[in-house]
Amino acid sequence: MTESFYTWLGIVIYIVVGITVAIFARRKLGFGMNEFFLGNRQIGGFVSALTYAATTYSAFMMVGLAGLTYKLGVGALGFELTYLCGLVLVVFFGPRFWLVGRKFDYLTHAQLLADRYQSRAVGIAATILCLIFLIPYAAIQVMGIGYLLAGVSKGAIPLLVGMIIAIVLAIVWANIAGLRSVAWTDALQALIMLVVSIAAVWYLAYRGFGGFGGFLDKMNKEIPQLLAGPGLFKFNVFFGLALPWIFFSLSNPQVTQRLFIPKSVTAFKQMIGGFLIFGFIYTVVSVLWGFGARLLLPGLEKADLATPLLLAHPTIPRAIAIIVMIGILAAAISTIDSILLTLSSMVARDIYKTGINPKASESLELKIGKVVIPIIAAIFFTFAYWAAGKKGLAFMIVPLSVAASAGLLMVVPAIVGAFFWKRATATGALISMVVGAVLVLILQLTGIKPLGWWPGVWGFIVCIGLYVIVSLLTKAPVQKAEEFIGYLKEELPKRNFI
Amino acid sequence: MGKAFWWWVSWFTFLFILDFSIPFHTLKGVQKVTGSLLFWIIWIVVAIVSMFIIFLRWREETH
């Protein structure tokens, strides 16, 4: 049997098991937008935790973060753990999202903003922001899968075929039962991601260095420069990467949508706790993997190739390499289908229903949402195909992912203000989002970094300033603000939420 | 927002200050895994435990 046969066999098993799980999830599918896009807000804690993890952690971890560790050292761990600590925002804001989501029947954070600020334009702007910035982010995942499969199979699976597999699976899993099939397949995939990554690092440590003690000793001896302080990170780079990531849990709609789905307070607690434990383990494992690559494969020109090349290294048994590849494939696809589903719900609810046809029936709205899924997927694919053909550009996985998060960061002041500031206005929210996003795009595309600071930092400063100043100069939707914030003030203590 | 809210906001602000300052200053010269790598692992464990302390107090609605 050839190596490509086993690679294909692994992929086929993964697809069959995934589709079986998705079909199983369909048994509970009811009717309506809430049902299709939120699982009727009745998802249990275990599945909520794993879908949150699988949605958040993508191919970025074992490929991009490992590459970043390879290149710049221990600061990569700090950067990713800074993100994990940012989950405290879910501890503060999650219960608020959850409560108002049930009370006012919100499907997306754009709908929440539109209603809270009493402005359709705010909801539409928030949706467009998500569309613009999540397309490159999702496309990177598609591209990453293509490169990974081509690398591990040593060309037996061409780049284009890998990308097609990713897109088709994402469409299928999003369509079978909406959030239910996505969440259940996410849960399966999260378990695969975690188990195989731990197994991979275990093999790496024992076969490559004689155990974890030997692994750490070798790090001390051979790459001390990557362990000192933040490694080779400069402060502005670290801060520029970390800032958007700290707010990831509030800025990314595929993540905020998951704050609406737990069926109870207990399920919500399990979601956060489960995710924190998952995130801690997966981050440490991914960083160790990157250090292992640096020790076994020093001198690579492209750090993003560290993982594919390490999987081809004799230290890693071929069977483990194929399983790890499946784990990374799972990480990427679980992120893509979640983004796909969320963006589809935003187009249906926040652009079509809110902006174009407020009288649309729920069945029409749902139909629009389902039709949009393959269209958005086609856009992801087109972008990925285009990006994969470029050479010499800054198409490294990390900067592009961070650029996406930097753009999405511009919605954060409006979200925070919605929950805490009665004086906040629609004009303030709208102008801060639009101007902030345009600034980030300009800085990102031109490569300009004033005073050495990254686009997200400048965009965020301008965005906060505009939000406050414009809000103070314009008229707030007082009645809605009272209703919204007043409701939370009344409900939060009943469940001991802070 | 009560006292607990602001106490926890202050605590996490302090943790983020440590996150950005200790590795870039105090541990700059420590070229070992017992430097920043160990710091960040202990730091996140403290942060995670803090989050657990907050949300483990949550309960289903009381009437």
Side-chain angles (χ1 to χ4, degrees), chain A residues 175-237:
Chain A
N175 258 305
I176 287 179
L179 189 275
R180 286 189 192 278
S181 49
V182 166
W184 282 51
T185 50
D186 274 1
L188 169 74
Q189 293 179 104
L191 292 174
I192 294 173
M193 287 155 60
L194 195 62
V195 171
V196 300
S197 61
I198 292 171
V201 167
W202 187 272
Y203 266 93
L204 177 72
Y206 280 88
R207 286 174 58 114
F209 312 103
F212 280 96
F215 189 4
L216 297 178
D217 276 348
K218 196 143 188 168
M219 282 167 64
N220 281 333
K221 282 178 192 156
E222 294 194 9
I223 48 171
Q225 75 282 9
L226 296 185
L227 301 174
L232 303 181
F233 276 87
K234 289 182 178 167
F235 186 77
N236 59 340
V237 174

Side-chain angles (χ1 to χ4, degrees), chain A residues 16 35 74 96 99 109 347 462:
Chain A
V16 170
E35 176 61 51
V74 69
R96 289 168 168 79
L99 284 169
H109 78 212
V347 170
V462 170

Side-chain angles (χ1 to χ4, degrees), chain A residues 74 78 81-82 85 88 91 95 220 227-230 235 238-239 264-266 269 280 420 494-497, chain B residues 1 12 19-20 23-24 27-28 30-33 36 40 43-44 52 54-62:
Chain A
V74 69
L81 291 182
T82 301
C85 189
V88 69
V91 176
N220 281 333
L227 301 174
F235 186 77
F238 185 86
F239 191 72
S264 63
V265 174
T266 305
K269 289 160 70 172
F280 174 64
F420 292 111
K494 290 181 184 172
R495 297 163 182 84
N496 235 6
F497 292 146
Chain B
M1 288 166 285
F12 277 95
D19 172 33
F20 287 98
F24 279 89
L27 298 172
K28 209 173 176 181
V30 184
Q31 298 190 327
K32 289 184 174 179
V33 291
S36 295
W40 265 315
W43 173 82
I44 195 64
F52 267 81
I54 299 174
F55 72 73
L56 284 179
R57 293 173 181 168
W58 296 350
R59 55 175 187 248
E60 301 296 343
E61 184 180 6
T62 51

Side-chain angles (χ1 to χ4, degrees), chain A residues 80-366:
Chain A
E80 191 60 34
L81 291 182
T82 301
Y83 156 71
L84 191 60
C85 189
L87 207 80
V88 69
L89 293 170
V90 171
V91 176
F92 287 132
F93 287 89
R96 289 168 168 79
F97 268 89
W98 187 73
L99 284 169
V100 294
R102 282 164 186 259
K103 167 76 174 170
F104 302 109
D105 200 29
Y106 297 140
L107 189 73
T108 68
H109 78 212
Q111 187 189 0
L112 183 155
L113 292 174
D115 184 50
R116 165 63 181 81
Y117 290 106
Q118 295 289 285
S119 163
R120 289 191 297 175
V122 169
I124 292 169
T127 303
I128 292 172
L129 207 72
C130 294
L131 286 168
I132 289 173
F133 287 105
L134 279 176
I135 286 170
Y137 183 71
I140 290 160
Q141 306 298 325
V142 177
M143 198 172 73
I145 291 173
Y147 278 122
L148 181 79
L149 294 187
V152 176
S153 70
K154 294 174 181 169
I157 302 173
L159 182 72
L160 190 61
V161 174
M163 296 201 309
I164 290 172
I165 289 172
I167 279 294
V168 170
L169 279 182
I171 295 172
V172 169
W173 287 342
N175 258 305
I176 287 179
L179 189 275
R180 286 189 192 278
S181 49
V182 166
W184 282 51
T185 50
D186 274 1
L188 169 74
Q189 293 179 104
L191 292 174
I192 294 173
M193 287 155 60
L194 195 62
V195 171
V196 300
S197 61
I198 292 171
V201 167
W202 187 272
Y203 266 93
L204 177 72
Y206 280 88
R207 286 174 58 114
F209 312 103
F212 280 96
F215 189 4
L216 297 178
D217 276 348
K218 196 143 188 168
M219 282 167 64
N220 281 333
K221 282 178 192 156
E222 294 194 9
I223 48 171
Q225 75 282 9
L226 296 185
L227 301 174
L232 303 181
F233 276 87
K234 289 182 178 167
F235 186 77
N236 59 340
V237 174
F238 185 86
F239 191 72
L241 283 167
L243 181 70
W245 239 249
I246 291 173
F247 291 98
F248 186 96
S249 58
L250 286 187
S251 61
N252 277 250
Q254 73 277 18
V255 180
T256 56
Q257 197 164 49
R258 272 153 180 74
L259 302 178
F260 295 132
I261 66 171
K263 66 179 178 186
S264 63
V265 174
T266 305
F268 208 114
K269 289 160 70 172
Q270 289 166 345
M271 178 175 82
I272 298 177
F275 174 75
L276 284 170
I277 293 166
F278 184 106
F280 174 64
I281 297 170
Y282 199 47
T283 301
V284 172
V285 162
S286 300
V287 167
L288 287 176
W289 180 257
F291 278 126
R294 178 68 185 232
L295 292 172
L296 292 174
L297 300 162
L300 293 180
E301 275 185 30
K302 281 188 167 185
D304 282 349
L305 293 177
T307 289
L309 292 176
L310 185 56
L311 289 175
H313 194 272
T315 303
I316 307 296
R318 292 310 298 156
I320 293 293
I322 291 170
I323 294 169
V324 172
M325 181 201 70
I326 300 290
I328 299 172
L329 186 67
I333 292 177
S334 59
T335 299
I336 298 166
D337 62 4
S338 297
I339 293 175
L340 198 53
L341 196 68
T342 297
L343 289 182
S344 305
S345 69
M346 295 180 93
V347 170
R349 173 61 53 92
D350 302 306
I351 291 187
Y352 182 72
K353 170 97 175 177
T354 307
I356 298 172
N357 184 6
K359 289 180 181 172
S361 66
E362 192 167 358
S363 64
L364 178 60
E365 196 185 357
L366 184 58

